[in-house]
Amino acid sequence: MIKGIGVDIVLISRFKEKQEKFAQFILTEKEYFLYKKSLDKLSFLAGRFAAKEALFKAFKGKYSLLDFEILNAVSGEPISNHGLISISHDGDYAIAYAINTGGDNHE
């Protein structure tokens, strides 16, 4: 059963000025490790922020951004410790869509 949905879109360049500081502010330790290994850190950060904002909306503010952890499945797709998530990038934008299915641990 769907308990909530959320979507967020961000301009990737928005994070350029304070990229490292913002990464440390919104990413969990495991996410930060993935961020540091990423070839396109700015797009990674924008996508994770959009995903966390979408999850925040889907869960109606029940959790903070740091409560959401978005890692990658073996296939490369993003997986979240809360709800279902999809992240996409196109040109200057990153967008994420989240679904709260009522359970908190989906993989």
Side-chain angles (χ1 to χ4, degrees):
M1 171 188 275
I2 295 176
K3 301 279 187 175
I5 59 170
V7 66
D8 197 63
I9 186 169
V10 298
L11 182 63
I12 295 171
S13 62
R14 167 183 172 194
F15 303 96
K16 192 172 186 175
E17 292 297 316
K18 297 181 180 179
Q19 180 178 342
E20 186 63 30
K21 187 174 183 176
F22 194 69
Q24 293 174 0
F25 180 71
I26 70 154
L27 299 177
T28 66
E29 187 176 321
K30 290 178 185 176
E31 289 171 321
Y32 189 74
F33 178 77
L34 294 175
Y35 162 77
K36 293 304 270 185
K37 287 179 31 177
S38 175
L39 297 177
D40 188 349
K41 290 176 181 52
L42 197 58
S43 290
F44 178 93
L45 182 60
R48 286 309 195 267
F49 179 72
K52 287 175 180 244
E53 284 286 306
L55 284 162
F56 184 81
K57 294 170 185 174
F59 282 86
K60 299 171 179 49
K62 182 178 175 183
Y63 300 101
S64 74
L65 295 184
L66 278 175
D67 289 325
F68 300 117
E69 185 169 68
I70 303 152
L71 303 176
N72 293 24
V74 175
S75 63
E77 68 187 76
I79 55 173
S80 173
N81 60 339
H82 297 284
L84 304 172
I85 191 77
S86 180
I87 304 171
S88 186
H89 300 82
D90 187 18
D92 297 333
Y93 295 91
I95 188 168
Y97 185 79
I99 300 174
N100 172 354
T101 59
D104 283 342
N105 294 312
H106 292 279
E107 294 189 28

